[in-house]
Amino acid sequence: MLTVDAREQMIEQQVRAWDVLDQHVLEIFRRVPREHFVPGAQRFLAFADVEVPLPEGQNMLRPSVVGRLLQALALQGKESVLEIGAGSGFVTACLAAMSARVTAWEVFPELAALARNNLNTLRVANAEVAAVDAITQIADGKRYDAIAATASMPVYDDRFARQLELGGRLFVVVGTAPVMEARLIRRTGENSWEVQSLFETVIDPLVNAIRPPGFTF
C-alpha cells in the first residue's frame, strides 16, 4: 500500500503538476513499476522527482521529464521506436508499453545488461537492448516512427532526425548547463523537419557527443 500511495503521489504531485495531462501517459506510470529499475541502494528515491544515480556515472531521468518525453512522442501503440540511452530500462519499458517495438541503444555494456535483465524480469517482450554507441554507430538506413534520446546533445546535429520515417517524431534535449532545451522534431519530408521547443531542463550529455569549444564535463 505504501508503494501504491507513493506512486500516486509521484504521478499527481510531480508528473501531472509538470503539465503531463495525457491520461494514457499517467496510466503508464501506474503500470510500469519505476522502483524495479532503481538500484537497491537508491530505492528510497524511486518516486522522488530527482535523477537517480546509476552505474558508470549515469542517472535515471526525473519522472517529470519522462512524462513530458512520453507525452510529446504521443505514441499510439503501432510505432517502431528507437531509444538512445537505455540506462536501467525504465524509459524503455514505458516506450514498450506504448508502442509495437522498441530498440534501445546503450553505450555502457554494464548498463545494457542491467536494462535487459530488468526488462526480462518483467517479461517485456517487445523491447531489445544493444550495447551500441549511438554517436559512432554507422547508419544502416533503418528508420523509426519515433526516437527518444534520454541524454542531451551539447551541439545539435541531425543524425537521429534522419533516422525518422516521414511523419516520425524525435524527442531530444539540446545545449549545455545551466540551460538546455527539450525539442520535438517531426520529419515532414525527405529533407525537411519541423522543430517545436517544449521546455527547459538539464540532463546528462550523450557520451562521445560533439561538444562546443571550451565545454567541460
Side-chain angles (χ1 to χ4, degrees), residues 1 13 35 37 63-64 71 74 120 141 153-154 158 168-169 184 193 201-202:
M1 180 61 70
Q13 298 183 12
E35 67 276 14
F37 298 89
S64 56
Q71 181 169 265
N120 289 339
M153 301 182 78
D158 64 1
R169 292 89 66 200
L184 181 68
W193 294 265
T201 188
V202 175

Side-chain angles (χ1 to χ4, degrees), residues 169-195:
R169 292 89 66 200
L170 162 67
F171 175 93
V172 64
V173 175
V174 179
T176 59
V179 177
M180 303 179 187
E181 180 186 54
R183 301 175 183 174
L184 181 68
I185 299 173
R186 185 184 300 273
R187 188 168 199 164
T188 57
E190 280 301 314
N191 293 291
S192 60
W193 294 265
E194 292 180 349
V195 181

Side-chain angles (χ1 to χ4, degrees), residues 130-153:
V132 172
D133 183 348
I135 297 300
T136 60
Q137 172 78 350
I138 298 175
D140 60 3
K142 187 172 183 180
R143 292 188 177 186
Y144 299 86
D145 301 305
I147 300 176
T150 62
S152 62
M153 301 182 78

Side-chain angles (χ1 to χ4, degrees), residues 1-206:
M1 180 61 70
L2 290 177
T3 298
V4 173
D5 290 344
R7 181 178 292 109
E8 281 301 315
Q9 185 176 42
M10 174 190 73
I11 293 169
E12 294 299 325
Q13 298 183 12
Q14 300 168 19
V15 181
R16 187 194 294 272
W18 220 44
D19 293 329
V20 179
L21 305 178
D22 186 310
Q23 291 300 316
H24 185 36
V25 172
L26 297 177
E27 185 58 31
I28 292 300
F29 275 91
R30 295 186 176 96
R31 289 170 48 193
V32 178
R34 181 175 167 83
E35 67 276 14
H36 177 76
F37 298 89
V38 175
Q42 310 295 334
R43 198 63 53 84
F44 69 100
L45 295 174
F47 303 113
D49 198 37
V50 298
E51 293 188 338
V52 176
L54 295 173
E56 302 289 357
Q58 302 303 293
N59 296 281
M60 292 179 69
L61 291 178
R62 292 185 290 120
S64 56
V65 173
V66 176
R68 292 293 295 270
L69 179 159
L70 297 174
Q71 181 169 265
L73 290 178
L75 299 171
Q76 302 298 310
K78 300 179 180 179
E79 296 88 353
S80 172
V81 180
L82 173 65
E83 180 191 15
I84 309 299
S88 62
F90 176 66
V91 176
T92 317
C94 292
L95 292 168
M98 300 179 68
S99 65
R101 187 72 186 172
V102 178
T103 299
W105 291 347
E106 172 52 56
V107 67
F108 295 107
E110 179 184 354
L111 282 178
L114 175 62
R116 279 195 294 268
N117 183 66
N118 286 337
L119 293 166
N120 289 339
T121 301
L122 292 180
R123 299 182 180 179
V124 178
N126 64 329
E128 60 180 353
V129 181
V132 172
D133 183 348
I135 297 300
T136 60
Q137 172 78 350
I138 298 175
D140 60 3
K142 187 172 183 180
R143 292 188 177 186
Y144 299 86
D145 301 305
I147 300 176
T150 62
S152 62
M153 301 182 78
V155 176
Y156 178 75
D157 68 63
D158 64 1
R159 70 177 65 231
F160 302 139
R162 288 193 173 277
Q163 290 184 262
L164 292 171
E165 295 279 10
L166 294 182
R169 292 89 66 200
L170 162 67
F171 175 93
V172 64
V173 175
V174 179
T176 59
V179 177
M180 303 179 187
E181 180 186 54
R183 301 175 183 174
L184 181 68
I185 299 173
R186 185 184 300 273
R187 188 168 199 164
T188 57
E190 280 301 314
N191 293 291
S192 60
W193 294 265
E194 292 180 349
V195 181
Q196 178 184 358
S197 176
L198 298 175
F199 57 92
E200 293 182 350
T201 188
V202 175
I203 64 175
D204 295 332
L206 282 166

